[in-house]
């Protein structure tokens, strides 16, 4: 009797694959989240062509920084933060910063 994997397990496997440089896993994540990222970019930029360009940069950031992605990273959170940074940088005409995904227990609290 085989146990079917849940989507959460599949996504975790994809992130593990991306961290190891698996291009197939990366392409799968792009296919799953491309519309989501482009819509997030469009919400900020309000220009379809610029949003598509920014979306491409988001996935380039994911690939370029794959070794830094924590096993705790939520892909949707990472992509949303990356989209915001890319769009913000695109408006300034500069290079986007890599979004920092910091585990909750390491965050400092400002009072």
């Amino acid at each position: 009797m085989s146990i079917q994997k849940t989507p959460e397990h599949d996504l975790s496997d994809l992130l593990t694959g991306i961290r190891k440089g698996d291009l197939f896993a990366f392409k799968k994540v792009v296919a799953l989240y491309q519309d989501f990222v482009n819509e997030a970019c469009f919400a900020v930029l309000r220009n379809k062509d610029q949003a598509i360009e920014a979306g491409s940069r988001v996935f380039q950031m994911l690939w370029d920084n794959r070794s830094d992605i924590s096993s705790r990273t939520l892909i949707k959170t990472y992509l949303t933060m990356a989209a915001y940074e890319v769009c913000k940088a695109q408006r300034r005409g500069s290079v986007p910063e890599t979004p920092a995904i910091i585990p909750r227990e390491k965050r400092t609290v400002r009072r």
Side-chain angles (χ1 to χ4, degrees):
M1 178 178 191
S2 68
I3 299 172
Q4 287 191 326
K5 288 185 174 184
T6 64
E8 294 83 20
H9 287 114
D10 290 342
L11 191 53
S12 176
D13 291 345
L14 289 174
L15 287 177
T16 299
I18 290 171
R19 276 192 299 277
K20 293 179 179 180
D22 181 351
L23 196 53
F24 176 78
F26 176 72
K27 287 180 181 182
K28 181 86 172 177
V29 168
V30 171
L32 289 170
Y33 289 101
Q34 188 167 30
D35 289 340
F36 170 79
V37 169
N38 287 344
E39 288 172 14
C41 292
F42 182 78
V44 174
L45 298 171
R46 294 290 179 204
N47 178 294
K48 184 179 178 181
D49 292 333
Q50 289 178 357
I52 291 170
E53 182 181 332
S56 294
R57 287 185 183 156
V58 168
F59 288 109
Q60 184 65 49
M61 283 176 71
L62 175 64
W63 183 255
D64 290 346
N65 299 295
R66 66 189 175 275
S67 62
D68 297 332
I69 297 172
S70 165
S71 60
R72 297 169 146 188
T73 299
L74 300 174
I75 189 66
K76 215 168 187 180
T77 301
Y78 180 90
L79 293 173
T80 301
M81 291 178 72
Y84 175 74
E85 291 299 328
V86 166
C87 292
K88 191 170 73 170
Q90 189 165 318
R91 283 185 164 173
R92 286 190 317 258
S94 63
V95 177
E97 297 176 20
T98 302
I101 305 294
I102 304 168
R104 187 173 296 279
E105 66 272 10
K106 291 188 179 180
R107 292 182 185 165
T108 58
V109 178
R110 292 185 184 187
R111 295 179 196 237

